[in-house]
């Protein structure tokens, strides 16, 4: 079956530190990959996506590259801010199958000033 | 742009009570979903719908029911609430575009069953 494994949290960083959150997946074929972010008290919202191998998704200084050979989609940011404190979810989906997504368990990031 | 709207935001139920969680979207999306999120865990799919009149079970459907009489609305019904149903419930919708389905989430309903 399909699954998404994220690095366990929580992750605590100082402001301006480099961020990496690891994500690996198991799936048949070539799904689309996503990172969603959940701020306190809110629903998930799309942060970035990649739809095929070697694609790089980017948004708000965050980046992730679709690596087919390592089945990975690690999230990175060069310099985090306090406002980046949130829970980050890696997910995969196909355009078919009713668009159902498989989510990782989430990684909580806290950035301290 | 309202997007996906869920009501209520919070609710406390007694064991055995029933309630309906409301979800409506104004993006004319065909697909809608209900998830539950337990503390420190990811999202588990309860039910989903591919269009008005069509619903199907997800990973954890027991104890829940849904209906989809219109494109906009996808209510989730809890019958005979149990403590195991204490969770945060999210409704989402999506539409396939360019071969990709991006899901849009409501703000959630926090439910406690005591």
């Amino acid at each position: 079956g399909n699954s998404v494994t994220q690095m366990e949290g929580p992750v605590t960083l100082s402001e301006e530190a480099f961020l990496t959150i690891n994500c690996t997946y198991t799936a048949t074929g070539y799904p689309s990959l996503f990172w969603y972010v959940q701020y306190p008290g809110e629903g998930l919202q799309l942060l970035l996506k990649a739809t095929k191998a070697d694609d790089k998704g980017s948004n708000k200084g965050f980046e992730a590259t679709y690596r087919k050979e390592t089945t990975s989609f690690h999230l990175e940011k060069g310099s985090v801010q306090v406002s980046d404190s949130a829970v980050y979810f890696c997910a995969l989906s196909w355009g078919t199958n009713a668009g159902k997504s498989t989510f990782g368990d989430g990684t909580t990031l806290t950035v301290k000033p | 742009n309202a997007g996906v709207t869920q009501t209520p935001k919070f609710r406390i139920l007694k064991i055995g009570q029933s309630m309906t969680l409301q979800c409506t979207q104004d993006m004319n999306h065909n697909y809608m979903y209900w998830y539950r999120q337990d503390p420190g865990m990811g999202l588990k799919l309860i039910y989903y719908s591919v269009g008005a009149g069509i619903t199907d079970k997800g990973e954890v459907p027991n104890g829940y029911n849904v209906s989809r009489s219109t494109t906009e609305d996808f209510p989730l019904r809890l019958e005979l609430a149990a403590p195991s149903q204490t969770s945060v419930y999210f409704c989402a919708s999506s539409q396939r575009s360019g071969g990709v389905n991006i899901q849009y989430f409501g703000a959630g309903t926090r439910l406690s069953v005591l």
Side-chain angles (χ1 to χ4, degrees):
Chain A
N2 307 312
S3 66
V4 175
T5 302
Q6 289 181 232
M7 68 182 281
E8 292 189 15
V11 175
T12 302
L13 296 173
S14 297
E15 207 164 21
E16 298 184 2
F18 184 85
L19 168 72
T20 300
I21 300 177
N22 290 338
C23 171
T24 57
Y25 68 91
T26 302
T28 305
Y30 306 105
S32 296
L33 301 175
F34 306 83
W35 277 101
Y36 287 85
V37 58
Q38 183 181 31
Y39 297 106
E42 298 183 9
L44 281 69
Q45 55 187 277
L46 179 69
L47 179 61
L48 53 84
K49 64 176 171 54
T51 58
K52 60 184 186 295
D54 300 325
D55 264 2
K56 178 185 282 188
S58 61
N59 187 26
K60 299 181 181 179
F62 291 89
E63 294 182 339
T65 301
Y66 191 141
R67 300 287 188 200
K68 173 174 164 290
E69 63 276 13
T70 54
T71 61
S72 64
F73 192 55
H74 305 321
L75 183 68
E76 296 183 335
K77 186 174 187 183
S79 175
V80 294
Q81 306 300 312
V82 172
S83 57
D84 293 326
S85 298
V87 183
Y88 293 83
F89 291 89
C90 186
L92 63 81
S93 178
W94 284 262
T96 56
N97 197 23
K100 288 188 288 182
S101 296
T102 300
F103 292 85
D105 285 345
T107 301
T108 300
L109 169 67
T110 301
V111 180
K112 297 190 171 180
Chain B
N1 254 358
V4 179
T5 302
Q6 290 183 240
T7 56
K9 291 192 184 329
F10 305 95
R11 185 71 186 268
I12 298 175
L13 284 181
K14 293 183 179 178
I15 295 172
Q17 286 185 319
S18 60
M19 77 165 292
T20 299
L21 282 65
Q22 301 292 345
C23 175
T24 187
Q25 53 98 2
D26 63 359
M27 296 173 284
N28 203 33
H29 286 170
N30 287 334
Y31 303 144
M32 295 189 75
Y33 317 86
W34 274 105
Y35 296 94
R36 59 178 287 171
Q37 183 183 32
D38 298 326
M41 305 292 286
L43 299 167
K44 287 187 166 49
L45 183 65
I46 305 171
Y47 270 95
Y48 67 99
S49 169
V50 299
I54 306 170
T55 63
D56 209 346
K57 296 177 180 178
E59 302 172 70
V60 290
N62 290 346
Y64 307 95
N65 275 302
V66 293
S67 59
R68 184 97 182 268
S69 57
T70 66
T71 299
E72 295 79 18
D73 299 308
F74 191 41
L76 177 72
R77 178 83 178 162
L78 279 71
E79 306 282 1
L80 298 174
S84 60
Q85 293 178 305
T86 294
S87 190
V88 181
Y89 292 84
F90 289 101
C91 179
S93 70
S94 77
Q95 187 86 334
R96 186 177 180 185
S97 176
V100 181
N101 279 77
I102 297 169
Q103 298 202 4
Y104 295 83
F105 287 81
T109 295
R110 187 174 296 274
L111 175 67
S112 294
V113 182
L114 304 175

